[in-house]
Amino acid sequence: MSTTAISPQPVPFGRRVKRFMADRPLIPLIILLVILVVILQVLRPGIVNERWIANTIKFAIPLAILAGCQTMTMLTGGIDLSIGTVATMSAFIMATQIVNQDPAVAFALAMMPAVLIGLVNGIGVGVFRVHPLIMTLGTSLIGTGCLQVYQRTVIASGARIPDFLAWLGTGLTYGIPNALLLFVPLAALIVFTLSRTGFGRLLYAVGDNERATRLSGVQYWQVITALYVISSVLAGITGLLYIGLIKAPSLSLAEPLVLPSVAAAVIGGTSIFGGRGGYTGTIIGALILTVLTTLLTILQMPEGARRILFGLIVLFVTAAYLRIVEER
Amino acid sequence: MTSNPLLDATGVAKNYGAVAALRNASLSVLPGEVHALMGANGAGKSTLVKILTGAIPANAGRILIRGEARDIRSPAAGRRAGLLPVYQEPSLIPDLDVLSNLRLTGTPVEPFRAWVRELGIPDLDIRDTARDIPLAVLRVLDLARALAVEPDVLLLDEMTAALPANLAEKVLEVVRRQGDSGRAVIFISHRFVEISALCDRATVLRDGETVGVVDIVPGVEEKIVELMLGTRIVKTHVAARSAAQKAAPAPARPRLAVRNLRVGTKLNDVSFDLADGEVAGVVALEGQGQDELFAALAGSIRPSGGAIEVDGQPAKFSHPIDAIRAGLAYVPGDRAEALAMQRSVRENIALPFSAALRNWGPIAMRQERAKVVSAIARLQIDTRAQGEVQRLSGGNQQKVTIARWIAADTRTLLCFDPTRGIDVGTKQEIYKLLREVAGHGKSVLFYTSELEEVQRVCDRVIVIFGGRVVDIFAVEEADEPALMRAAYGLPRGAKADIGILADPHSSSAESASSSDSNTPGATP
Amino acid sequence: SAAGKYTIGISNTVQGNGWREEMVCAMKAQALASGEVAKLNIAHRNTDAAGQLEDIRNLISAKVDAIVVNPADPAGIKAGLEEATKAGIVVVAVDQAVTEPSAYIISNNQEQYAYLGAKWLFGQMGGKGEVFYMRGAAGASADSDRDKGFKKALAEFPDVKVAQEVFTGWQQDQAKQQILSFLSTGTPINGIWTSGIDNVIVDALVESQAPLVPIVGADNAGFVGQLSSVKGLVGAAVTNPGSIGGAGVTLALQILDGKKPAQQTVLVEPQLWENATDEGKAKLKAAADPSLSPEWPVSISIPDWTTYTKDQIVACKGPGE
Amino acid sequence: MSHFLRRQGWVAGLFVLFVLLFITTKLIQPAYGSGDFGSLVRAVLPYAFAVAAQTVVVIAGGIDLSVAAMMALTSVTAASMMSGASEEYALFVVPFVLAMGFVLGAINGMLIVVTRVPDIVVTLATLFVLQGAALLVLNAPGGAAAEWLKALISGTVPIPGLPDGIDAWQPKALLLLIVCLCIIWIPLRRSRLGLSIYAIGSSELAAFRSGVPVARTRIIAYALSGLFAAFGGLALTMSTGIGAPIPGPYLLASVAAVVLGGVALGGGKGGLLGPIVAVFVLRLVRTDLTLLAIDPNVTAIIEGAIMVAVVMFGAFITMRSRQS
Ligand SMILES: Nc1ncnc2c1ncn2[C@@H]1O[C@H](COP(=O)(O)OP(=O)(O)OP(=O)(O)O)[C@@H](O)[C@H]1O
Ligand SMILES: Nc1ncnc2c1ncn2[C@@H]1O[C@H](COP(=O)(O)OP(=O)(O)OP(=O)(O)O)[C@@H](O)[C@H]1O
Ligand SMILES: [Mg+2]
Ligand SMILES: [Mg+2]
């Protein structure tokens, strides 16, 4: 009755495929993305054309950068809810200051709140050990308030979208979105930072076991402060890109991107509890969400049903991905 | 002892992806016996315990309890079947107080209290939150909780590894009596003294397979080691260190000088020197201030008085980084405190390389790999599951915590019980390693809960009692009885009996009547 | 001036939206310009009907003389308004109606807003073809009122079909993504009706070099500017003045001074400014104001109801500030 | 005593803060009286239930992003069922809606257990699903509430023998809140189930090894969260008399109050009292800001700053106590 433990039979094909995908978690994600695109193409034949792809990329990029902020903070077991406000602030300040300031000055002014909020977040989380969710929620409330006060002082001067930002946000070169000029190096930098630099290592380690990193000589507050400042600066840059894309400064411009940025990072395989994940998955996650939004927009059904479908698909995609990637 | 086995497992297998934790393990335990489960780190002992108690499912195998096939799918089911484990990691809920923990598992409180007292902890407040209780006491509470429901089979996974000698003694004594009263105990330990003092038979695992069942008789150790390690033959005893290996005459200036160090109420007045090329042992019973001493030297907590000098310079540590800059690295006894469990072995070993702000930039991958690989080799870490440290066996995790500082080439190691839960073979490696480190002119401060280690590794021994240094021995005088006596705060040369009889907390007469000859540390 | 004698409470439940910000500024400016108000007590945040009830009750606790409220929901704050009236406070609802009978209402006619624009649009389309229907936030009462007006117009043009109906949530980015996705499908359309998220739609059409079909939007500064400047764009802006807030303050002050209006409800009828005729173009030109933030409606005043100057509303300062 | 202080110190501190704020309110507006206190309690009601819903799952080591959407769905369901129906019909509607919340919450829990997707993602997905469902039930605010239900939270409960002056300070809404929370929370807290909820939040592995049915406990925690959210939805319908399909600001408010109330976001620690007191504090701050007629844009800054400052203060105290 004793059962043999391991038989040297050839591993079944299904198991081999699974193991192959588990080792390369990007592949199942890309497959899920392709499935969504195929569904879209079946529902509206002809939609998947050059123009659609360019549009999708244009909208996915701001989301992907913000999701990058989220990925990095989530690796440390945190979350940054202030990125929406920061992006909005820098966009709004840029659009209003450019009217009567030198572009460089306007840029500096636009990035100032980003750096400041990042610094406050970092000190609050890193030094005072406030939970990141509360800390960033608080600074985002404060930031929104400040923006509204600021807004009143510039109503009279109006707003303008700098041509360069419009070119970057909406322009195409040979059918390729110009925004990629910004995004590709940025993404490469983030991926490199996470996998090949000391700082990246520390993000993972701090999120996994802070005490252990402390015993290894890591100063938590330094890592966290640097992290939140970087996250905020990235969010500020996203704001500038986004205002070039939308071309209408408003006081809630980037707020709707905050929850999707968390979702994109999680769909991409980053653990909300820290210590696990990466940026490449997040980029695909952002693409998946953007395609999903398109898919639901063109479906003719009541808004309620659309939202239900959106929720179910997000859940299904994440669950399927986990199933495929998990080893047991 | 010819009755039917209480527990009979055959052909147990468990795979984690490509890693086979168990291939074909079997274990048969008779009523009334204390049965040792032995094996090198990563042999699959803990995995087997987890399977038997329903904490993880097996991929194959058959488990009979009193001759009946039982399918135990959860710890609760195991409990109902009379199988009670004490796992390698503490299992009390950290945020609940002890009483709630008892209620959660339906454990009767009075028997529990009785066992806790019996196990040598007279003053437990059961309203204390588990998180605030020291590890060693938690282990004892785990045991008391299991004992309180009078299990048929008690499974103890390295129960004694984190215990100081005085508590370990009590545990062994209690376990022995369990066996005597007709119940069965499965006992996992890497300490041969305990095995020979306590157990009737031993099942030996190697690479997930049962390779032998032996009766414990005098002199069987060699055979067990041979079974455990297979081709990996290791001499079980390092020869006494030759004079050449001994530390050079102490230089004028000690590497580390501790003067009248005080930390809170736990550490009152500790002074000693540590020279280059020296391994100094620290011996103390549980909670005598050794934790605080190491934490203060590591820069984890600030001393409330006294001075620390490194190379003759006064040093003030406000963060471990300061100690590390001064060349002092701390290896905690609790590996969960030292490891990023979801990260790879490599990243864990390389962690100190990136700690300082100036090292946040790109990593020199090739250089790093070379250092890491050599450290892995020196500690013989089993790298089958190196992608995530949490998948390594307990002992291999322990090795990673040391490998980190070997790779970093630290001048002074502060090792707090580094051989906790490490198999005999590897222990020898670690002893050798520490000697080697000292041979290169580095120094080691080495707390150990296993007194026999002292003579194998150390040049000198510092004994701490009640937060003070009570004695400093040269290694030649530091035999176990002498150390034990000193650890209890008895003056050198005192002839009073030590061990169970001398335990100041021991109040019951029955403990005195039990066989003290079984207890390690007692006068031979 | 500080010589005013009244304290007026204001409750608004959408923050960070250009239209609502203008409304609040109009309230402040009018309170200042009237000279009758000593202090404004403003509760202005993002919340729901229950939160607005809380704000109204806090205003009652603060013993204001009148409350001007932009209701989160017509029926949902009835209890609070009733308590206010009982406490002797004058209640004026602006922008949308409320069901509390004791409250006065001065409101933009949302149903008429949609009807007017849709009717003009369907006319421009020649009474047939496909329209892209870009609504506001699903579940908002202003959105469902506008839907009624839109459907009413649709019923009059049986040959006009809705090609696609989407909810923009009154979010610029969402609307832009929706229109671009839709354009990518290549589905031909003959007109676009928007619920006030308009200038990003024009941008999207221009950027993607799609044919400029007739577009209906609101009188936001950005869109009004585009109607004059974007070549080939045919469209109409329907007024939906945020300055209604100022009118609400005026009405409240009139009532406090004992000049009750004939009816409980005063409706401000929307106007339509199109750029298809010379007459319309002239109106647009007169209304255009590039100095305003593009999200602000250009109709910053309502004749007979507001007395502040443009500088005053832009400065956005109330009495005592 | 030291146990009590360690465990309840934060709650006691919050309570003192509330009393101080109350005195401040009295100073700002000397006429602030029992009626105004009644208003405060009515404002607290939906937040309190939202925060109770969040507290249960946070203690169990999770987080529930669907709280506000659940409130919206239960609110529109109740409002649309009661619209045009008889007063007695509401007697059926209330238990029905509560059961619905319980079941939907349990489904949340089951999805988490079965899919093994992290809580935050599952509840983010159900947030959209529940919002969508709410829009399908009522695509615009509407519906109605039975008069007796609305009456449940207005007015006071006179207790015979007490002078009117004191009776006036006992709003019905407060009684309702206390009854609803206590009926569920106190027996739970004392039961093995309650312990299990704390256990899985504190350490899932240790809980499993202690024989806690982890999956079942998690499902029940979410079901309770759904039940509390349904109470919250009913409270919305009771106070507004309608149902609105767009969720109010209860999600972030609930998370903030949970943390302010001393419940660790990691799970396993804290109780219900702290978060509820925190809600009272936050609402009273709102009242004071309105009474002071502070520039509305500045109020956002003040609210954010208070939130951060209180939590920083808490962190500071913990740091100090750990050092000593
Ligand atoms: N989750 C896992 N994934 C991959 N491998 C695993 C996992 N768990 C255990 N293993 C492997 O199974 C083997 C057996 O482990 P087990 O913990 O049972 O060893 P052990 O005998 O208890 O060792 P030790 O004495 O070090 O505690 C180890 O080599 C370990 O790496
Ligand atoms: N639930 C689990 N998931 C993943 N891996 C597990 C799990 N439980 C146990 N393992 C793995 O099984 C192995 C058993 O480790 P354990 O620490 O129990 O070993 P041990 O025999 O007690 O060895 P040691 O003597 O080193 O303490 C480890 O490799 C551990 O990582
Ligand atoms: Mg083990
Ligand atoms: Mg072990």
Side-chain angles (χ1 to χ4, degrees), chain B residues 145-227:
Chain B
R145 188 168 63 157
L147 287 167
V149 294
E150 311 196 343
D152 295 341
V153 184
L154 189 59
L155 301 96
L156 306 180
D157 192 351
E158 299 197 27
M159 174 67 223
T160 52
L163 297 189
N166 55 335
L167 288 178
E169 245 171 60
K170 298 269 180 186
V171 168
L172 297 180
E173 181 194 318
V174 165
V175 167
R176 181 69 259 171
R177 264 188 288 131
Q178 285 291 302
D180 292 345
S181 62
R183 304 205 171 93
V185 180
I186 295 172
F187 187 80
I188 299 179
S189 171
H190 292 294
R191 301 176 179 175
F192 276 94
V193 255
E194 296 177 353
I195 303 291
S196 53
L198 191 65
C199 302
D200 304 305
R201 294 194 301 156
T203 292
V204 182
L205 287 178
R206 183 170 76 228
D207 293 342
E209 248 174 300
T210 297
V211 290
V213 181
V214 296
D215 288 326
I216 303 290
V217 291
V220 77
E221 287 88 345
E222 295 294 335
K223 172 143 195 254
I224 292 179
V225 171
E226 211 177 289
L227 283 172

Side-chain angles (χ1 to χ4, degrees), chain B residues 231-459:
Chain B
T231 51
R232 216 179 106 208
I233 302 294
V234 177
K235 280 195 295 176
T236 31
H237 292 278
V238 273
R241 274 168 297 106
S242 66
Q245 264 179 298
K246 287 222 171 120
R253 209 174 54 185
R255 162 77 179 134
L256 175 70
V258 176
R259 295 285 171 267
N260 308 102
L261 195 67
R262 281 187 293 115
V263 178
T265 55
K266 286 292 189 61
L267 198 66
N268 297 318
D269 178 14
V270 167
S271 307
F272 63 87
D273 288 344
L274 180 66
D276 280 322
E278 180 185 44
V279 179
V282 174
V283 165
L285 301 177
E286 169 67 12
Q288 303 301 317
Q290 65 270 42
D291 306 49
E292 286 74 17
L293 171 64
F294 274 73
L297 292 178
S300 286
I301 53 175
R302 261 182 246 206
S304 42
I308 300 170
E309 285 177 16
V310 179
D311 296 326
Q313 302 296 319
K316 283 245 181 299
F317 303 147
S318 56
H319 186 277
I321 185 76
D322 302 328
I324 291 167
R325 289 214 179 99
L328 303 179
Y330 172 54
V331 181
D334 180 5
R335 51 189 172 259
E337 203 179 314
L339 297 174
M341 288 290 180
Q342 299 174 62
R343 307 312 302 165
S344 66
V345 170
R346 173 177 176 163
E347 277 178 50
N348 269 285
I349 292 179
L351 190 52
F353 299 161
S354 312
L357 197 57
R358 63 172 181 284
N359 296 332
W360 282 10
I363 295 168
M365 291 307 246
R366 197 172 302 162
Q367 242 174 304
E368 179 189 289
R369 180 174 310 129
K371 285 190 190 168
V372 168
V373 165
S374 113
I376 287 178
R378 280 181 79 180
L379 281 140
Q380 301 183 354
I381 296 171
D382 172 358
T383 50
R384 275 181 299 170
Q386 62 173 314
E388 286 180 31
V389 164
Q390 64 185 344
R391 295 184 185 160
L392 297 181
S393 81
N396 281 301
Q397 292 175 3
Q398 193 77 29
K399 293 185 209 170
V400 175
T401 64
I402 304 174
R404 170 184 295 163
W405 298 111
I406 297 299
D409 203 22
T410 310
R411 268 191 68 194
T412 301
L413 282 174
L414 310 168
C415 295
F416 195 92
D417 219 5
T419 55
R420 189 180 278 181
I422 287 197
D423 70 48
V424 272
T426 314
K427 267 184 189 167
Q428 304 305 322
E429 297 299 328
I430 291 182
Y431 302 150
K432 230 167 69 191
L433 187 86
L434 293 183
R435 285 313 321 169
E436 221 175 280
V437 165
H440 287 118
K442 305 201 164 85
S443 51
V444 180
L445 191 67
F446 177 76
Y447 168 79
T448 176
S449 55
E450 287 178 64
L451 298 181
E452 57 144 13
E453 291 187 337
V454 165
Q455 286 197 307
R456 302 193 179 186
V457 193
C458 305
D459 301 302

Side-chain angles (χ1 to χ4, degrees), chain A residues 303-304, chain C residues 135 137-141 143-144 147 167, chain D residues 76 134-142 245-246:
Chain A
E303 178 66 13
Chain C
R135 300 177 59 173
S141 63
D143 179 75
S144 43
D147 188 48
F167 286 87
Chain D
V76 291
L135 277 171
L136 291 183
V137 174
L138 273 187
N139 63 10
I246 298 186

Side-chain angles (χ1 to χ4, degrees), chain B residues 476-493:
Chain B
E476 292 78 9
E477 303 156 34
D479 59 350
E480 286 184 40
L483 286 175
M484 200 58 177
R485 215 175 278 132
Y488 275 105
L490 299 173
R492 219 192 279 202

Side-chain angles (χ1 to χ4, degrees), chain A residues 1 16 52 67 123 132 172 206 216 219 223 252 266 278 297 320 327:
Chain A
M1 158 92 215
R16 271 209 326 260
W52 177 81
I123 291 174
L172 298 177
V206 156
S216 297
Q219 277 163 302
V223 180
S252 54
V266 176
T297 303
E327 286 160 54

